[in-house]
C-alpha cells in the first residue's frame, strides 16, 4: 500500500526522471551510435555499410 | 487502537457461590448484588440469582453450545479500566436466508458498571450504554442518527435471537428471547438500538477493536481468530488517503507540466539543414553524402524529417549522421511508405509520406548525413526531402510521466471505494445482485452505499 508521502516521493522521482530525460534529449529512436567511420566516406559513400542495410523491407498494401 | 480514559484499579472482587438446583454444580457470582440471572456453567440452566432458593428459570435444551473466546472470570484493561468478564451470550440474526451469529461478553467493573464486548468473525467492539439519546432526522424512521455532532448512517435492522447464555446478567435473560436490533455506523464507531418486545429501547455505542487489541488487553495467549471480510464499523485502512493522494497528484501534474513547458521553451528548435533529392532505383550507386551543417550550443537531440512524394510506394533510407571532425557516426534506418485503396465498398489507407525521428543527445560539432536510399526498381523515381532540426522540444517523456503519476492515485481511490463497497454489501442498503452473492465471502462485486 502506497502512503501519500511515499506517493509524493515517487511522483517527484518520476518528474525528476522526466525533466532529466527531456533536458538530456533522451529518445526512444533505434540508433546505433558512436561508430568511427573512415574519412574516405566523403569520397566513396557507397563503401560505408550501415548496420541497417539488411533491413527486411515492408512492401505495404492490403 | 489507542484506548484512553480514566484509570481505576478494580478492587478485589467479593465472589459468592451458589449451588445449582438443577445439577448441583457450584455457580460463581462476581457482580456482587447486581446479578439478576445467573447461568449454571455445567447444565446451562438459567437461575434466579436474587431468589434465596435459587429457582430455575429456564433449562437448557439445545444441543449446540458456544464456547466463549474470552473465558468467564478473565480480566482485561480497556481504556485504563480493568473489567472482568462475567457473562456471555450468543445471538444470531437471519438475513437473506443465512444465519449470522455473534458473541456478546458482559464486562463488569464495580466503579464503571457494565460494558460489553462483541465479536463477529474476528471483529471486536467495545460497547458502552449511551447516557443521552441520538438525534434522528425523522423520528420513528430508520434514517441516519446524529450523536455528539457525528453522523451515523443506518446500516442494518434485524431481529436478534439469543441462542446461548453463560455466566451472570443484571437483567432477565432467556434463551430464545428476541429483540429488534438497528445499527448505525460511523467507523470506527457503531450506534445500536435494541427494541425489546415491550418496546423498551436500549441505545449503546461500540468502538471497533482488533482481535490483537483484545488479546493484548486480556493478556490471552495464542492468537485471536483471524478477522474475515469487512465489518460494519471497521475503520478503512485507506482512511483519508485518496483525498490526500489526489491533492498530491494535482500538485505533481502541475509540476510535471511546468517542467515540460520550461524544457520545451528552452529548446532551440533550429532548422540546420534541408535539401531535396531524387532517388532513381535504376542508378548503380544510390549512396551519397550531404553538405555539412553545424550543431551549435550544448549537446541536444536532433530531429531528422523525411518527406517523400510517394503514392502506393515505399522508400527506405539508410541514414548515418556523421561528425566530420571525430568520425563518429549515428546509424539509423527509416522507412517511408504510403498506401491507399478502395476495397469491399470502403476506402482505406496506411502509412504516411512523412516520417520523423529524434536522435538522442548529439554532441555539438560539424556534421553531414550519409544517405543510402532503397526502393523497388519497378516503382520508378521518387522525390524526397530531408530536414534536420537541432534541439527540438520532446513531449514523449511528459506523456510517459503523466500516466505514471496518475495510476497510483487512481489505484488508491479504487481500493478505498472497493473497501467501502465490501462494507455496505453486508448492509440493508446493498444492491440485491451483490448482497446475496457476497453475504458470506465479502468479495469485491459492485454495489453502492
Amino acid at each position: 500500500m502506497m502512503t501519500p508521502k511515499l506517493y509524493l516521493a515517487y511522483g517527484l522521482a518520476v518528474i525528476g526522471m522526466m525533466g532529466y530525460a527531456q533536458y538530456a534529449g533522451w529518445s526512444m529512436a533505434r540508433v546505433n551510435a558512436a561508430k568511427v567511420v573512415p574519412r574516405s566516406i566523403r569520397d566513396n559513400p557507397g563503401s560505408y555499410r550501415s548496420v541497417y542495410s539488411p533491413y527486411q523491407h515492408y512492401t505495404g498494401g492490403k | 487502537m489507542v484506548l484512553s480514559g480514566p484509570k481505576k484499579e478494580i478492587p478485589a472482587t467479593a465472589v459468592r457461590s451458589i449451588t445449582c438446583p438443577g445439577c448441583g454444580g457450584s455457580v460463581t457470582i462476581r457482580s456482587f448484588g447486581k446479578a439478576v440471572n445467573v447461568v449454571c456453567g455445567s447444565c446451562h440452566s438459567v437461575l434466579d440469582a436474587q431468589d434465596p432458593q435459587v429457582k430455575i428459570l429456564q433449562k437448557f435444551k439445545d444441543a449446540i453450545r458456544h464456547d466463549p473466546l474470552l473465558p468467564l472470570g478473565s480480566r482485561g484493561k480497556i481504556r485504563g479500566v480493568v473489567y472482568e468478564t462475567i457473562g456471555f451470550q450468543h445471538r444470531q440474526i437471519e438475513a437473506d436466508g443465512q444465519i449470522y451469529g455473534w458473541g456478546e461478553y458482559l464486562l463488569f467493573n464495580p466503579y464503571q458498571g457494565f460494558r460489553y464486548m462483541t465479536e463477529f468473525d474476528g471483529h471486536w467492539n467495545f460497547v458502552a450504554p449511551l447516557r443521552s439519546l441520538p438525534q434522528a432526522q425523522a423520528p420513528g424512521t430508520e434514517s441516519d442518527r446524529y450523536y455528539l455532532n457525528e453522523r451515523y448512517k443506518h446500516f442494518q435492522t434485524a431481529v436478534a435471537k439469543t441462542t446461548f447464555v453463560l455466566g451472570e446478567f443484571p437483567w432477565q435473560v432467556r434463551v430464545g428471547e428476541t429483540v429488534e436490533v438497528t445499527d448505525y455506523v460511523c467507523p470506527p464507531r457503531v450506534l445500536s438500538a435494541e427494541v425489546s418486545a415491550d418496546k423498551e429501547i436500549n441505545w449503546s455505542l461500540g468502538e471497533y477493536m482488533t482481535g490483537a487489541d483484545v488479546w493484548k488487553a486480556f493478556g490471552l495467549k495464542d492468537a485471536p481468530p483471524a478477522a474475515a471480510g469487512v465489518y460494519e464499523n471497521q475503520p478503512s485502512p485507506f482512511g483519508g488517503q485518496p483525498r490526500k493522494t489526489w491533492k498530491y497528484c494535482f500538485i505533481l501534474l502541475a509540476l510535471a507540466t511546468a517542467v515540460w513547458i520550461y524544457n520545451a521553451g528552452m529548446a532551440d528548435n533550429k532548422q540546420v539543414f534541408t535539401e531535396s533529392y531524387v532517388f532513381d532505383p535504376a542508378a548503380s550507386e544510390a549512396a551519397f553524402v550531404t553538405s555539412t551543417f553545424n550543431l551549435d550550443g550544448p549537446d541536444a537531440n536532433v530531429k531528422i524529417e523525411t518527406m517523400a512524394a510517394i503514392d502506393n510506394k515505399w522508400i527506405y533510407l539508410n541514414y548515418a549522421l556523421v561528425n566530420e571532425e571525430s568520425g563518429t557516426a549515428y546509424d539509423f534506418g527509416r522507412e517511408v511508405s504510403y498506401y491507399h485503396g478502395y476495397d469491399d465498398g470502403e476506402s482505406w489507407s496506411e502509412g504516411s509520406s512523412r516520417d520523423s525521428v529524434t536522435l538522442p543527445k548529439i554532441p555539438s560539432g560539424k556534421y553531414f548525413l550519409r544517405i543510402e536510399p532503397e526502393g523497388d526498381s519497378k516503382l520508378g523515381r521518387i522525390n524526397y526531402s530531408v530536414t534536420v532540426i537541432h534541439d527540438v522540444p520532446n513531449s514523449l517523456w511528459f506523456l510517459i510521466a503523466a500516466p505514471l503519476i496518475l495510476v497510483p492515485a487512481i489505484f488508491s481511490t479504487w481500493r478505498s471505494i472497493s473497501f467501502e463497497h465490501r462494507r455496505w454489501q453486508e448492509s440493508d442498503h446493498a444492491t440485491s445482485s451483490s448482497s446475496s452473492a457476497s453475504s458470506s465471502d465479502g468479495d469485491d462485486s459492485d454495489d453502492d452505499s
Side-chain angles (χ1 to χ4, degrees), chain A residues 6-59:
Chain A
L6 188 63
Y7 170 69
L8 183 63
Y10 158 82
L12 290 172
V14 168
I15 291 171
M17 291 286 284
M18 180 202 83
Y20 183 76
Q22 222 178 340
Y23 170 77
W26 287 2
S27 165
M28 286 189 172
R30 189 165 163 245
V31 177
N32 185 44
K35 178 177 179 179
V36 177
V37 298
R39 291 187 183 277
S40 62
I41 187 174
R42 268 212 165 279
D43 305 320
N44 188 7
S47 64
Y48 178 75
R49 286 293 103 197
S50 165
V51 293
Y52 292 100
S53 288
Y55 175 76
Q56 297 299 308
H57 300 298
Y58 169 64
T59 53

